Amino acid sequence: MASAATFRQWTGALLLGAGFGLSAFHAMAAEPVGDETFEGGFACAPAKSENDKAPVRCRSQINPSLPVFEFLLVWKQSDGGHALERIELREQGKPEPFQVIENIQSDVSSHIANNGFEAIDLNFDGFLDMRVISFLPAGPNTPYQNWLWSPRHHRFVANPALDEISSPQFDADAEEITSAWRSSAVEHGSDIYVYDEGKPVLIHREVDKWSEGGTCERSYFDRIEDDLRKTGTGPCEAE
């Protein structure tokens, strides 16, 4: 994890690299254009100590046309460890938040840095979005709570359909979301989603299932005419 000094250097470099201050942002169009080649990034200030109960401060420039945003993660102690109460969002240098997100479902072990907060492009539009881990299940199916940046409304908007995808990974080149999941000790699989009118749609699924005799069969499913249909079977690949 970066030191506090590194954190300050990183955020300072963001502003210098942008080449303009907050005043330039207000002169721009209400709906800035996304840059799909923009990778961006984020940084969170490390806790001063294990007993530090202060809100977590993260920063990110979610698009070159926008100023640096500050994300204040306000949390409380819980049986699980850390439960987020709200996220306050500010443009860097402004005292008042332009958005406050409440009713957050994120309660994870204190060993999970920043409740799994990330600023990444979740819908491949050239603007970074944000997510946090909802909770840590016993198995590998990790759920997230997600918010997509809306250039038109200048705010982050919840996407419940995206929340339903466990352990999502985002492939910007293919513009696909992949999800690896496990339903039992003898069955697991992987899904592929693409966006359709702003919502992730399942287009392909592969399911590995073991029989009582120890053999494994893989089933393939594809989206055909708005339905997910079984399209074939074969042997499971060796792990």
Side-chain angles (χ1 to χ4, degrees):
M1 185 175 290
S3 66
T6 301
F7 175 74
R8 289 192 296 270
Q9 292 171 358
W10 187 87
T11 52
L14 275 176
L15 286 177
L16 291 174
F20 54 82
L22 291 177
S23 59
F25 164 73
H26 296 290
M28 292 183 174
E31 296 184 45
V33 177
D35 179 1
E36 294 181 0
T37 64
F38 175 66
E39 295 183 0
F42 69 96
C44 296
K48 296 179 181 179
S49 69
E50 292 184 0
N51 298 320
D52 186 4
K53 296 180 174 60
V56 175
R57 295 181 181 273
C58 301
R59 293 182 181 180
S60 176
Q61 185 174 29
I62 69 167
N63 182 268
S65 66
L66 297 172
V68 173
F69 287 169
E70 297 180 344
F71 304 77
L72 190 70
L73 281 58
V74 181
W75 61 277
K76 64 180 180 181
Q77 288 185 322
S78 67
D79 293 338
H82 287 179
L84 284 184
E85 294 188 308
R86 66 183 185 275
I87 300 176
E88 299 178 3
L89 298 110
R90 293 173 173 81
E91 293 178 9
Q92 183 170 269
K94 292 191 174 181
E96 297 300 322
F98 66 83
Q99 183 178 4
V100 177
I101 298 175
E102 299 179 297
N103 300 318
I104 300 173
Q105 305 300 318
S106 178
D107 191 346
V108 301
S109 166
S110 57
H111 294 95
I112 303 300
N114 315 317
N115 282 58
F117 171 87
E118 292 180 283
I120 59 176
D121 191 349
L122 301 175
N123 60 345
F124 319 118
D125 66 348
F127 293 88
L128 301 191
D129 311 292
M130 69 173 179
R131 67 176 183 173
V132 294
I133 295 175
S134 297
F135 62 91
L136 293 178
N141 306 331
T142 303
Y144 287 82
Q145 192 167 2
N146 306 268
W147 297 268
L148 303 182
W149 175 254
S150 171
R152 174 176 296 181
H153 300 101
H154 193 73
R155 64 196 301 108
F156 290 92
V157 179
N159 192 296
L162 191 57
D163 296 349
E164 295 296 320
I165 303 175
S166 67
S167 304
Q169 299 292 322
F170 299 87
D171 186 336
D173 293 331
E175 295 193 356
E176 294 178 343
I177 304 169
T178 59
S179 169
W181 51 267
R182 183 181 297 275
S183 60
S184 70
V186 297
E187 184 177 81
H188 70 253
S190 61
D191 296 340
I192 297 178
Y193 295 79
V194 298
Y195 279 97
D196 183 9
E197 297 183 352
K199 294 184 178 181
V201 175
L202 177 61
I203 62 168
H204 180 74
R205 169 171 286 174
E206 298 180 8
V207 181
D208 289 355
K209 189 170 184 177
W210 281 261
S211 68
E212 293 182 359
T215 60
C216 181
E217 180 181 75
R218 175 169 294 180
S219 299
Y220 299 88
F221 301 82
D222 291 281
R223 193 171 192 83
I224 301 173
E225 297 180 353
D226 294 330
D227 290 320
L228 197 66
R229 303 180 184 179
K230 190 173 183 177
T231 54
T233 59
C236 300
E237 296 180 4
E239 296 185 355

